[in-house]
Amino acid sequence: MPKLKVDGIEVEVPQGATVLQACEAAGKEIPRFCYHERLSIAGNCRMCLVEVKPGPPKPQASCALPAADNQEVFTTTPMVKNAREGIMEFLLINHPLDCPICDQGGECDLQDQSVAYGRGGSRYAENKRAVTEKYMGPIVKTIMTRCIQCTRCIRFAEEVAGVEEIGAIYRGEDMQITSYLERAVSSELSGNVVDLCPVGALTSKPYAFEARPWEQRRTPTIDVQDAVGTNVTLYSRGRQVLRSLPRINEDVNEEWATDKTRHHVDGLVRRRLDRPFVRRAGKLVPATWDEAFAAIAAVEHGGSVAAVAGDLADCETMFAGHALVTALGGSRLEGRQTGMDYDTSSLAAVNFNTTIAGVEKADAILLVGTNLRWEAPLVNTRVRKAIKKGARVFAIGPETDLTYKVEWLGADLALLGDLPRHVHDAFAGADKPMLVLGGAALKGGHAAALRLVEPLGLIKPDWNGFNVVHMAASRMGGLMLGYAQPGGIAALADAKLTFFLGADEVDFSRFAGFKVYLGHHGDRGAAAADVVLPTAAYSEKSGTWVNLEGRVQRGERAVFPPGDAREDWSILRALSAVLGQPLPFDSLPGLREAMFAAVPALRNPGLAAFEWNPPVLDGAAAGVIAGYPIADFYLTNAIARSSPTMQQCSAELLHGDMLAEAAE
């Protein structure tokens, strides 16, 4: 490990570290525009110049200079100061004075560093150049005259997203960043280039001219658009969430977020349920809470009561629903809305045991019935990192573009019982083998996949390579709370009273009994219900979610729900009193204590410990995987379907619709 001095401070850094990293280890701030910790080194902005001895008597780019023993680095000498001021002067010669109207204002690296390292004036007297705007799709707005050619967006698209659709054309002063043929960028991670852009060249198109960062309140919470559990910060003003940005969590999402995570938020204020409804004469009509509760109390159910949890439900809601169903004499609970039915006697057998961060260590990967790019995009980026380290990837299922090289073995599930010899050989020589079972194969291939654990050597003393990919934020929490009925959701169809806890993906025609829908959007569930009770969206309540790897995480309330909508658990508590079976909690802390007593693993945030005791299941896998569960990445739930931005992404990026834009 190299030892060197930075401004007289001795530091020791790992082999291969750069001088810039050594300076940061010494507590020195080094300005930069092109350098980013998660991207390859470009060394083209030159803002990170430092003086290094021994070496040539000139400033050197610290981001591209390897740290070495006995180096002396100086970050505050007159040479460095003059060099940085000169670089800043060059970067600003063509930059427009757009700060008053730029959406990057207040969060702009160029603003901050020009104040800290810039001169008071410019010696540039020639005409400034201008660059025409480029089209990059519904998510990214471009003002390319502001671009300083740091190439972060290009490197992200190639290295992380795996979609080589952003690049540079021309040379020198005429260089321009653009998308391929100025078409929309097709990556589901394209919004991350807005965070990466150190100037205002790439900004968020849906957020344009909406608000300034200092006007908004920031609330840490958990994203519910998929089962990854992306850590996000919701930015709100008044009673509206204006944007969702990722928080750094190395174990989950690093610092990335999908476009759906970022831009579904405009759906939080559209098509909202803000009052109870009761079906009368075949039509839903507005009602008071008392009238809605009375309609439910009038149902003669005789203990035939069930509950279905939706994909976005938090653990508190599901626990309260479980408690109410039990109090009314029922026991049937289900969270797998679309008819999935698999053994849940061992939670480890339906968990992502490798962990999301652990995927990077895998050296042989078998994907079975999963389109990771849509089902868990931020797990897919980890697979890309594993491939860069030498991992081989095999897949069973219909061929699709996962953004990396895959050897497709076919779409027949029978392959699980007869894998080709070279696949067995690859796994035999692997130190960290991994199998990923997706929703398209979980119902018919779970047993066969479990039988591969020993032949493929998936379990080692410090490694569990058996993984199941869930797509719903509520799924693992629901399984921990008992929302898995033998026979799946079909076993609930004859219930006389069914509570749908935000469940919108159900085939409601199969339910002949009385249907009570608790939800926040006027979507499929509300249209089919006999009584609609308006609830809070995930952004409007504090809740607990468990992601696909069994990680318990808590989110906080950012804004209050609209109109008469209330938090789900409080509605169920009030309803229980009307039904004569009051639940034993009157507050959120009281509910959580009862929930922790029932499921201790939910008490402490972090990875829940599931004992590896897989069931012995009979039956050979058979059948051909015709397609993957997610047909439209951008419209997977009620909030996304209510979002104009997600509707536009779906129409343009998936269905090829040409959307006209007005000239500005």
Side-chain angles (χ1 to χ4, degrees):
M1 296 175 68
K3 290 183 180 180
L4 62 158
K5 287 185 178 180
V6 179
D7 290 341
I9 302 172
E10 187 171 292
V11 294
E12 186 175 6
V13 294
Q15 191 67 40
T18 63
V19 169
L20 187 150
Q21 291 170 318
C23 292
E24 291 190 332
K28 301 296 180 179
E29 180 182 349
I30 303 297
R32 83 291 297 268
F33 291 114
C34 68
Y35 175 80
H36 191 276
E37 293 82 357
R38 303 185 197 278
L39 304 177
S40 61
I41 295 171
N44 54 7
C45 79
R46 319 307 289 180
M47 193 63 203
C48 63
L49 295 174
V50 295
E51 188 177 352
V52 181
K53 294 180 181 179
K58 64 176 184 178
Q60 299 189 59
S62 61
C63 70
L65 183 66
D69 282 322
N70 302 318
Q71 279 178 331
E72 288 190 73
V73 181
F74 304 93
T75 66
T76 57
T77 62
M79 178 194 292
V80 172
K81 181 177 183 295
N82 289 332
R84 289 177 181 172
E85 288 180 352
I87 292 297
M88 181 60 68
E89 190 174 359
F90 275 119
L91 290 175
L92 292 175
I93 58 177
N94 286 310
H95 198 81
L97 294 174
D98 281 348
C99 296
I101 57 141
C102 178
D103 278 312
Q104 200 84 335
E107 300 172 317
C108 178
D109 292 349
L110 189 63
Q111 274 185 340
D112 297 341
Q113 295 184 34
S114 62
V115 169
Y117 303 102
R119 282 196 174 101
S122 173
R123 292 169 287 179
Y124 186 76
E126 286 74 15
N127 294 327
K128 290 179 179 287
R129 75 162 190 164
V131 181
T132 56
E133 317 305 1
K134 313 300 182 185
Y135 184 70
M136 290 192 179
I139 297 297
V140 181
K141 179 182 178 181
T142 64
I143 303 91
M144 300 312 294
T145 302
R146 303 171 184 164
C147 180
I148 61 171
Q149 288 94 36
C150 72
T151 68
R152 279 186 181 182
C153 53
I154 297 175
R155 285 175 283 146
F156 173 83
E158 293 181 357
E159 298 166 14
V160 180
V163 178
E164 298 183 3
E165 295 178 355
I166 303 177
I169 56 175
Y170 312 133
R171 301 177 66 187
E173 187 189 31
D174 295 325
M175 178 178 170
Q176 298 180 23
I177 307 296
T178 183
S179 60
Y180 179 68
L181 298 180
E182 291 199 37
R183 294 177 179 170
V185 179
S186 64
S187 173
E188 61 287 340
L189 300 171
S190 65
N192 290 289
V193 300
V194 173
D195 289 351
L196 288 172
C197 185
V199 296
L202 305 178
T203 56
S204 171
K205 187 175 288 185
Y207 177 69
F209 309 123
E210 286 288 337
R212 290 298 195 183
W214 54 84
E215 299 177 318
Q216 301 170 71
R217 184 173 61 254
R218 306 180 185 190
T219 307
T221 191
I222 305 302
D223 175 62
V224 297
Q225 297 300 305
D226 57 26
V228 171
T230 301
N231 288 219
V232 297
T233 299
L234 296 182
Y235 287 70
S236 57
R237 184 178 60 188
R239 299 187 68 169
Q240 182 175 352
V241 175
L242 295 176
R243 59 178 178 168
S244 171
L245 297 182
R247 286 184 288 131
I248 295 177
N249 187 324
E250 300 293 349
D251 294 326
V252 181
N253 56 290
E254 298 180 286
E255 63 183 77
W256 314 127
T258 68
D259 290 349
K260 186 164 55 175
T261 293
R262 289 175 179 275
H263 297 295
H264 72 277
V265 294
D266 54 357
L268 289 169
V269 293
R270 291 171 169 84
R271 299 171 60 184
R272 288 301 303 268
L273 298 171
D274 60 359
R275 69 187 70 179
F277 288 84
V278 174
R279 189 174 297 278
R280 292 176 180 149
K283 293 184 178 180
L284 286 173
V285 297
T288 65
W289 282 105
D290 289 340
E291 291 170 338
F293 286 175
I296 300 170
V299 178
E300 296 182 2
H301 53 76
S304 179
V305 183
V308 180
D311 289 350
L312 314 184
D314 55 290
C315 290
E316 287 82 356
T317 295
M318 291 187 285
F319 178 76
H322 187 321
L324 180 59
V325 168
T326 302
L328 296 177
S331 61
R332 288 182 285 181
L333 306 165
E334 185 56 77
R336 301 166 294 183
Q337 299 181 70
T338 55
M340 295 288 286
D341 181 19
Y342 46 84
D343 188 280
T344 60
S345 58
S346 169
L347 290 180
V350 290
N351 186 47
F352 201 92
N353 297 291
T354 299
T355 72
I356 295 172
V359 172
E360 298 179 19
K361 303 175 183 177
D363 47 7
I365 302 171
L366 175 61
L367 306 178
V368 184
T370 177
N371 177 5
L372 270 182
R373 183 175 175 182
W374 280 8
E375 294 169 14
L378 296 180
V379 175
N380 204 49
T381 61
R382 303 277 190 166
V383 175
R384 283 184 55 81
K385 294 172 79 171
I387 290 175
K388 290 178 181 178
K389 297 175 183 176
R392 293 183 64 185
V393 180
F394 308 93
I396 297 174
E399 292 191 22
T400 187
D401 180 13
L402 295 176
T403 73
Y404 43 79
K405 184 179 179 180
V406 178
E407 182 179 336
W408 295 93
L409 305 176
D412 194 341
L413 279 175
L415 284 165
L416 288 173
D418 187 23
L419 286 173
R421 183 72 258 163
H422 71 282
V423 177
H424 279 283
D425 292 342
F427 274 77
D431 292 326
K432 306 283 187 181
M434 187 174 82
L435 181 147
V436 180
L437 187 64
L442 186 52
K443 185 174 181 179
H446 192 204
L450 284 171
R451 286 197 289 272
L452 283 173
V453 168
E454 188 172 338
L456 297 184
L458 299 179
I459 307 296
K460 299 180 185 295
D462 59 344
W463 178 261
N464 187 331
F466 185 85
N467 304 287
V468 170
V469 173
H470 297 298
M471 294 158 280
S474 66
R475 188 58 43 83
M476 277 307 295
L479 295 179
M480 294 168 72
L481 288 163
Y483 276 79
Q485 183 74 29
I489 201 165
L492 278 63
D494 63 343
K496 294 181 180 178
L497 174 61
T498 306
F499 295 95
F500 295 91
L501 309 178
D504 290 289
E505 320 305 324
V506 180
D507 181 1
F508 291 96
S509 64
R510 302 177 66 176
F511 288 81
F514 196 87
K515 297 181 280 292
V516 179
Y517 176 76
L518 290 83
H520 36 77
H521 278 75
D523 205 78
R524 301 164 184 166
D530 296 299
V531 170
V532 175
L533 304 178
T535 67
Y538 81 98
S539 57
E540 298 155 2
K541 59 186 174 184
S542 298
T544 302
W545 286 271
V546 184
N547 75 351
L548 55 80
E549 60 181 349
R551 185 178 300 276
V552 179
Q553 303 186 109
R554 302 208 207 288
E556 301 300 328
R557 178 173 60 196
V559 294
F560 288 93
D564 288 337
R566 297 291 183 268
E567 294 184 40
D568 313 60
W569 72 265
S570 64
I571 295 173
L572 293 168
R573 171 62 181 85
L575 176 60
S576 69
V578 174
L579 299 179
Q581 300 289 340
L583 298 179
F585 45 79
D586 295 310
S587 64
L588 182 61
L591 180 153
R592 282 182 170 169
E593 280 303 317
M595 181 175 72
F596 299 155
V599 185
L602 293 174
R603 180 179 293 276
N604 298 315
L607 283 174
F610 301 132
E611 183 181 354
W612 179 252
N613 54 347
V616 179
L617 303 175
D618 297 328
V624 176
I625 301 173
Y628 297 109
I630 297 179
D632 190 324
F633 171 76
Y634 297 100
L635 303 177
T636 53
N637 57 67
I639 301 176
R641 287 190 287 267
S642 300
S643 163
T645 303
M646 292 297 96
Q647 293 169 12
Q648 186 175 348
C649 287
S650 173
E652 182 172 358
L653 301 179
L654 300 185
H655 302 292
D657 294 353
M658 297 299 292
L659 301 175
E661 283 194 340
E664 295 184 6

